[in-house]
Amino acid sequence: MSKILVTGGAGFIGAHVATKLLERGDDVVIIDDFNDRYDPRLKHLRFEHFFSGSLKPKLVTGDIRDNDLITKLFDQEKFNHVIHLAAWAAVQTSIDNPYIYTSVNVDGTVNVFEAARHNDVKNIVFASSSSVYGGRDKVPFQEKDDVSRPISPYAATKAAGEIMCATWYNLYQIPISALRFFTVYGPWGRPEMAIFKFSEAILRGQPLLMRGHQTMRDFTFIDDCVQGVISALDHPHQFSIFNLGESDAVPLPRLISALEHSFNKPALIQEVPLPPGDVPRTLADISLAQAMLSYQPVTKIEDGIAKFTQWYKEWYIPNFLPDLTNSL
Ligand SMILES: NC(=O)c1ccc[n+]([C@@H]2O[C@H](COP(=O)([O-])OP(=O)(O)OC[C@H]3O[C@@H](n4cnc5c(N)ncnc54)[C@H](O)[C@@H]3O)[C@@H](O)[C@H]2O)c1
């Protein structure tokens, strides 16, 4: 049995990852500060939903920037592995408030990495992002592509995180995998993501703001992402970077059609320009993760959206949009 720290474990990806680890018998500790970047009630409800049964992680409510807390935690718990997911995510808010992004995503990451190297951690998995590829036109994105031209503070902090991964590996030989996630979605996701906004607009019969009809995203279903994260945990590779996408560039109209089909309601589409910071298209070349991690995503967008909308109707609407209950 491994003892694993999951930072950001009350978050979307973290809660799913921690659940899988507990199911296979690992000992899991979560640290999360339940901050209000998005409604913390969703973080608490998610935590309760995933962990109120017999499989429970130990929960530490706190901030990864708190050096004393992190030092004591590593000292006491003697982790073998760290999955570092805690971060301020999302591109647009990073343009409005870059300071919190550098503080948490860069300084906080240094805290975690320093504690890990002082405590003989065997390997680290770090959450990077497809946003590091910037606004490039050439797809698919490959790990060896130049990522020195980010177009948002968020992307810059993730690129900085990857460079720190390389540095801590070079200095201390802790195997570290930096995983570039490509727009992960699914049940218990993050409410500021387009899929949530589109869903609400469709159900309210309000205009759905589509950011460019040629915009394409490689949407990755949460179960596929979790498979990649756990595989990276189980297969340490010195310092490595892996794309974890679905390997399918989905134009926004296809995503909207899948939502219309699942909700059985038409969308009123209003096209708006792509805002600064948003990239026009993403598509992952996943051949490296396939070869090195046996990563094999299997969920088509239409199937993933059906699972998402089922959850959205059952959990999200009653708890967060109760006035829409009768519209279902
Ligand atoms: N979901 C995606 O599409 C996606 C894409 C690319 C990268 N990522 C990265 O994956 C990771 C997880 O993303 P997510 O979608 O689950 O987001 P999320 O916001 O749901 O999860 C992040 C969690 O970290 C916690 N956190 C933030 N700052 C903290 C701090 N200072 N101390 C302790 N906890 C803190 C938050 O409370 C939250 O629960 C993030 O690093 C994110 O940047 C996600």
Side-chain angles (χ1 to χ4, degrees):
M1 186 168 74
S2 292
K3 188 151 196 182
I4 304 167
L5 175 67
V6 180
T7 73
F12 168 40
I13 298 173
H16 284 272
V17 166
T19 300
K20 269 277 175 286
L21 295 172
L22 288 165
E23 281 170 0
R24 71 180 198 176
D26 288 328
D27 191 357
V28 176
V29 177
I30 281 175
I31 182 167
D32 201 296
D33 69 351
F34 293 85
N35 66 62
D36 63 358
R37 195 189 65 74
Y38 62 82
D39 192 340
R41 287 183 304 140
L42 176 56
K43 296 180 185 178
H44 288 286
L45 188 66
R46 186 193 276 138
F47 195 89
E48 209 179 296
H49 172 74
F50 279 92
F51 306 122
S52 59
S54 55
L55 295 175
K56 288 191 201 315
K58 175 172 174 180
L59 172 64
V60 177
T61 303
D63 192 323
I64 55 163
R65 291 170 295 174
D66 181 341
N67 190 268
D68 285 348
L69 174 71
I70 292 291
T71 305
K72 278 187 199 130
L73 180 64
F74 274 78
D75 208 38
Q76 278 165 13
E77 300 287 347
K78 307 284 178 228
F79 301 114
N80 312 110
H81 309 278
V82 173
I83 301 180
H84 179 37
L85 303 171
W88 273 52
V91 163
Q92 290 308 319
T93 36
S94 80
I95 295 174
D96 301 334
N97 183 4
Y99 300 104
I100 185 79
Y101 279 76
T102 51
S103 169
V104 174
N105 299 4
V106 181
D107 297 347
T109 295
V110 170
N111 255 352
V112 172
F113 286 5
E114 271 298 86
R117 69 109 172 167
H118 281 298
N119 287 277
D120 202 24
V121 163
K122 300 285 174 263
N123 73 329
I124 298 175
V125 176
F126 169 74
S128 185
S129 165
S130 60
S131 64
V132 299
Y133 289 106
R136 68 176 53 229
D137 283 330
K138 182 192 138 291
V139 289
F141 299 162
Q142 293 184 307
E143 291 86 346
K144 63 177 167 36
D145 291 345
D146 176 25
V147 294
S148 62
R149 301 272 185 280
I151 60 169
S152 70
Y154 169 65
T157 64
K158 288 295 174 184
E162 290 186 357
I163 290 177
M164 289 190 300
C165 291
T167 310
W168 263 255
Y169 173 74
N170 289 334
L171 281 172
Y172 310 112
Q173 288 75 52
I174 311 174
I176 306 188
S177 298
L179 306 179
R180 291 179 179 161
F181 298 146
F182 282 66
T183 320
V184 187
Y185 75 101
W188 298 100
R190 293 188 348 232
E192 87 282 4
M193 296 186 92
I195 289 174
F196 279 74
K197 291 185 182 157
F198 289 179
S199 297
E200 185 174 349
I202 290 172
L203 291 176
R204 289 196 187 284
Q206 290 175 348
L208 172 163
L209 304 183
M210 184 175 79
R211 295 170 167 186
H213 72 277
Q214 287 180 328
T215 302
M216 293 184 186
R217 285 280 176 281
D218 192 347
F219 292 100
T220 312
F221 190 63
I222 182 66
D223 294 359
D224 295 327
C225 172
V226 169
Q227 181 219 324
V229 172
I230 292 187
S231 182
L233 182 79
D234 292 341
H235 299 92
H237 284 291
Q238 302 176 342
F239 164 62
S240 307
I241 296 177
F242 296 105
N243 285 340
L244 290 189
E246 205 70 38
S247 196
D248 183 14
V250 174
L252 291 183
R254 181 173 155 207
L255 169 73
I256 295 166
S257 294
L259 286 166
E260 289 177 313
H261 179 77
S262 277
F263 286 123
N264 197 23
K265 284 203 169 169
L268 298 171
I269 300 174
Q270 183 182 333
E271 197 171 332
V272 293
L274 202 62
D278 260 16
V279 303
R281 65 189 60 78
T282 65
L283 176 62
D285 179 334
I286 55 170
S287 48
L288 197 62
Q290 284 174 316
M292 307 288 282
L293 304 177
S294 306
Y295 171 63
Q296 208 49 65
V298 293
T299 315
K300 270 180 35 194
I301 188 78
E302 287 74 14
D303 299 335
I305 286 295
K307 289 180 184 166
F308 167 79
T309 53
Q310 195 185 343
W311 166 82
Y312 188 87
K313 289 189 255 189
E314 188 182 344
W315 283 92
Y316 194 73
I317 289 184
N319 285 289
F320 297 95
L321 304 170
D323 63 306
L324 281 179
T325 315
N326 293 334
S327 73
L328 295 176

